[in-house]
Amino acid sequence: MNIRILNSREDLNATAAAVIAGLLLTKPQAMLGLATGSTPIGIYRHLADMYRKGQVSFARAYAVNLDEYVGLSQNHPQSYRNFMNEHLFRHIDIPIPHTHIPDGNANDLEAECAAHEQAILEHGPVDLQLLGIGHNGHIGFNEPGHSLTGYTHVVDLDERTRTANARFFGHIDAVPKQAVTMGVGTILKAKQIILVAFGADKADIIKRALTGPVTTACPASLLQCHPNVLILLDQEAGGWFH
Ligand code: GLP
């Protein structure tokens, strides 16, 4: 794993955006694996700026997202489809048919999971997967447990995850209890992975994920098994690493 501690969040956002833009310069038809949550917002802002300045184009790129809440319509303010539209897709030139996010409101969620895997098979593999990390070590919505599921699947959300994400919904009762998520196997098939974390509250889980045992009790620890992972941390999240 290549671990980089950046001086500021701006540096971190600019670095991640530069890696993504660099990939698109060499491979315009790349498939990007994208993430939601508060962590990637600044990276998306940078990418949108670079697009406006003519430094990068997404016109031939594909995007596949990690996850989506079950039970939210795609135009619900907190759906991840809406998140991606607001924070990235409507600011760049990616064709919306090139973007794949599971529909958490689909009648047949199993079919929706299979369709997500199929989209990755058709246009992938994922060239670069962007990841954040939950305080419990989840990646996508792969929650800690005795076992993990390899492929895209429906998952019951951990209460800690629902509590953490209540800030976006106003109240915990409004947070969905399930999500569709890429599996850890799906994630590990990406050619390159960038995990981004900032803030002191992520320091403990980052240390555990990067230096602790590889265990389903901390899904992010499985990244230790991947040959091409870049970890981008700010001083607060990576202060322990010296
Ligand atoms: C969410 C997402 C994850 C994300 C994580 C951390 O629940 N499913 O993909 O990495 O939680 O979120 P944040 O970046 O807001 O800390």
Side-chain angles (χ1 to χ4, degrees), residues 106-234:
N107 286 330
D108 186 345
L109 287 173
E110 294 306 317
E112 195 60 24
C113 293
H116 202 55
E117 290 288 334
Q118 187 58 33
I120 297 170
L121 272 181
E122 263 173 44
H123 305 292
V126 172
D127 289 285
L128 190 158
Q129 177 66 56
L130 187 61
L131 292 178
I133 185 170
H135 293 100
N136 60 1
H138 76 211
I139 47 177
F141 271 132
N142 292 279
E143 302 285 28
H146 293 297
S147 64
L148 290 169
T149 304
Y151 292 97
T152 302
H153 60 286
V154 177
V155 65
D156 293 333
L157 295 177
D158 197 292
E159 278 314 295
R160 282 171 295 179
T161 300
R162 295 187 64 240
T163 304
N165 289 359
R167 67 200 143 122
F168 301 116
F169 286 84
H171 196 277
I172 184 147
D173 292 343
V175 183
K177 296 199 159 109
Q178 290 187 310
V180 171
T181 183
M182 278 189 196
V184 174
T186 322
I187 293 170
L188 290 178
K189 273 187 232 145
K191 290 188 192 169
Q192 181 183 10
I193 295 176
I194 305 184
L195 176 80
V196 182
F198 49 69
D201 58 317
K202 293 281 174 79
D204 285 348
I205 193 62
I206 281 288
K207 185 175 181 192
R208 222 177 114 201
L210 304 191
T211 66
V214 175
T215 167
T216 57
C218 178
S221 68
L222 274 89
L223 297 175
Q224 293 180 37
C225 304
H226 192 281
N228 190 0
V229 180
L230 172 63
I231 310 282
L232 297 178
L233 307 173
D234 70 351

Side-chain angles (χ1 to χ4, degrees), residues 45-60:
R45 201 181 56 241
H46 266 270
L47 287 171
D49 279 351
M50 293 177 85
Y51 166 69
R52 263 192 299 275
K53 291 176 186 157
Q55 296 167 343
V56 65
S57 168
F58 299 79
R60 294 174 57 200

